[in-house]
Structures are given as structure tokens and as C-alpha cells.
Amino acid sequence: MSTTPNRRVAVTGSSGKLGSAVVRNLAEAGWSVHGFDVLPPGRETAGSFTRLDLTDLGQVVEALHGIDELHGGVDAVVHLGAIPGASNAANTATFTNNLTSTYHVFTAAQIAGVRNIVWASSETLLGYPFATTEPPYVPMDEEYPAQGNVAYSLAKVLEEEIARQLTRRDPRLKMIGLRFSNIIEPEQYARFPDFENDPDSRAWNLWSYIDVRDAARSVRLALDAEVSGFEAVNIAAADTVMTTPTAELLARKLPDVPVRTAVEGTQGLIDITKAEGLLGWSPQHTWRSPA
């Protein structure tokens, strides 16, 4: 396995589903990982851990500059800390916490001289929830204007705009927003066959998902990518959560939405071409053979 020795990375939200997988992936690749979260890790973790309130700018600035006996600064930041999803808190709490936290991380990184920033954007700004709205076309790529239809996705839209403006002001910055689909751990795949009984139950994100291991690997590849400026990148599985052909699902649920490129078999409806070209990433895991 290739390693990246002596590079130091701060990972916010390091105790979460994705955060813990990212910490493991980066540590295995040779990064020196410093995790930050409001909750301690639920399992043994690589690197260090420090409790951190992202809504307190002073704490975030200090954490990235250095913490006694842990590190004297970092080379990169992975920002995953947030209230996850659109229904885990009241709208105002979700919006205020997530947007404030992201602004603080971006600001603290600049103060600390960190120019390599990767963070969790979201598929939701493609127009979620699709059970009640329609995308302008499928497969959905990064080109059409973001649509913040709920408080969670509205915050994500504004996070991307902040990154766009920061990189405009400082072209040396690299800021990659990974638009993750619904992140799934392998043990959750046992539920997937039940979706066939109620396809509408997964229409909210057009039957999309991403294996947590593939999501974690996309973070590492984004950190290593030799690009500058702001980039938004879709990260999703190549297939859907269904065994019903995707074209049949579209004909049933979204018959009037233009299909820009042919959709074959159970192909997913989130276009991941950019991730393949920019990051050299493609999904390696599927619920159909989860090992």
C-alpha cells in the first residue's frame, strides 16, 4: 500500500459514520490524523482525538494551529462535522449549526495557512427531495444550478458559495466539496431487498447510495488531487438500491424528466464522471456483492 508519510490532517466529525471510516483510510495511507468531534470515537481509532465545538471559532482556530502534545499545525483539513441529514434537528438548528461550523472551519484553515480543504457537501443540493420535486434532467451532474429545497441542503448550497468566493479571492486555495449520496455501511445492505416492496420509499434521492468505504476513499483521493480552486464533485454508487431497472423506475415516477444519456440496467442517476476524471475515483463496492 502506498503511504504519505509526515502529512498531518485534521478531520472534523471524526467520530461519525463517515468520519471514522475516513480516519481509518487516511491513517492506513500514512497520514498523521487528528480527529475532532463533540463526541468521542465509539471504537478504537487511529491518530489523536480532541473534543471540539465547531460553533466556537476560537476553538477551531486553536485546534488547527496546534494542540499541546498532539500537533503543531496541520497540512490539510477534512471537514465532515455537522448535524447529518435533513431531519435530525429542527430546521433552524440544522441550518445555523452546519453553516456556522463550516464557515468557522474555512476561516480557521485560512488563518492557519492551510490551503488543502475537502469537505462533505451533499447530493441534497441537486434538488432533494425528489419525491416532491423533479430534477431538470437525469443523470444528474454538477452543472445545473444547486437547489436548496430544505434547510439542510440550503446550508450546503451556501457552503459551496462560500468556497467559490474564498477561492476567487485566493487562487492558491484548493477546496473540494464532495457531494455524497446517502452513506451506507455494509451491515445496512440487509435491508435493501425490502425496497422492492415500496420503491417510493427511496424516491427521495432517486434510489441512490454510496458505500462508506468508497466515500472514505474519495476523501483521500480529493486530498491528493493536484488541483486548485473550488470543485464540487458527485460521489455516488454506480448502481441504485433497486433490482428494478432504472428506466422502469423513471417511467413510473418521473416520466417527464429528460434523460440526457441512456440509462442501462440498474445504473444510478447521479453522474460520477467528474469524480472519475478529476480524482481518479470510481466506486469499488456495491450492495449486490458487499464484501
Side-chain angles (χ1 to χ4, degrees):
M1 177 180 297
S2 63
T3 60
T4 309
N6 302 320
R7 285 204 288 177
R8 304 159 300 172
V9 60
V11 178
T12 73
S14 60
S15 299
K17 179 195 295 185
L18 176 57
S20 57
V22 167
V23 167
R24 289 193 301 273
N25 189 288
L26 292 177
E28 289 171 0
W31 284 85
S32 176
V33 185
H34 303 283
F36 300 97
D37 208 318
V38 292
L39 298 174
R43 62 190 82 173
E44 185 177 347
T45 186
S48 68
F49 170 79
T50 303
R51 188 185 185 282
L52 182 67
D53 179 0
L54 295 176
T55 65
D56 183 337
L57 177 59
Q59 288 189 37
V60 185
V61 170
E62 189 174 52
L64 297 191
H65 263 286
I67 295 178
D68 293 348
E69 301 180 3
L70 294 182
H71 72 86
V74 296
D75 305 300
V77 172
V78 173
H79 172 46
L80 310 174
I83 295 174
S87 58
N88 290 300
N91 289 347
T92 301
T94 297
F95 180 86
T96 302
N97 178 87
N98 291 1
L99 189 60
T100 301
S101 296
T102 298
Y103 178 75
H104 286 174
V105 171
F106 289 175
T107 298
Q110 284 192 293
I111 293 171
V114 178
R115 298 193 177 97
N116 188 1
I117 303 166
V118 175
W119 88 99
S121 189
S122 171
E123 67 177 359
T124 60
L125 52 66
L126 294 170
Y128 165 103
F130 298 112
T132 57
T133 62
E134 295 185 352
Y137 55 81
V138 292
M140 300 174 290
D141 57 23
E142 297 89 350
E143 297 305 313
Y144 68 76
Q147 303 179 42
N149 293 330
V150 297
Y152 177 82
S153 61
L154 180 58
K156 293 297 185 183
V157 172
L158 296 177
E159 289 173 14
E160 289 196 359
E161 184 58 31
I162 292 171
R164 188 175 286 108
Q165 295 301 320
L166 291 178
T167 55
R168 176 187 60 81
R169 287 162 40 186
D170 184 355
R172 299 169 299 174
L173 282 173
K174 181 184 86 176
M175 304 185 73
I176 298 180
L178 298 174
R179 293 179 173 178
F180 292 114
S181 186
N182 183 205
I183 296 172
I184 301 294
E185 293 180 309
E187 54 267 31
Q188 296 178 274
Y189 289 144
R191 304 197 325 253
F192 277 34
D194 293 338
F195 298 146
E196 290 299 323
N197 300 323
D198 185 14
D200 286 353
S201 69
R202 292 288 305 193
W204 55 271
N205 77 336
L206 297 191
W207 311 283
S208 182
Y209 75 104
I210 183 63
D211 188 288
V212 68
R213 295 165 292 183
D214 284 328
R217 187 166 51 85
S218 75
V219 170
R220 174 169 53 82
L221 292 174
L223 285 175
D224 288 339
E226 294 184 0
V227 300
S228 60
F230 162 69
E231 297 286 353
V233 184
N234 292 339
I235 301 294
D239 59 342
T240 70
V241 302
M242 306 292 289
T243 60
T244 301
T246 304
E248 183 178 327
L249 293 169
L250 284 171
R252 186 187 311 164
K253 189 69 179 178
L254 298 170
D256 299 324
V257 172
V259 180
R260 284 198 164 185
T261 58
V263 176
E264 299 180 356
T266 56
Q267 178 183 328
L269 291 170
I270 295 181
D271 189 326
I272 55 175
T273 304
K274 184 175 180 178
E276 294 169 346
L278 186 72
L279 308 181
W281 175 92
S282 60
Q284 296 181 346
H285 300 280
T286 171
W287 71 274
R288 298 167 210 279
S289 52

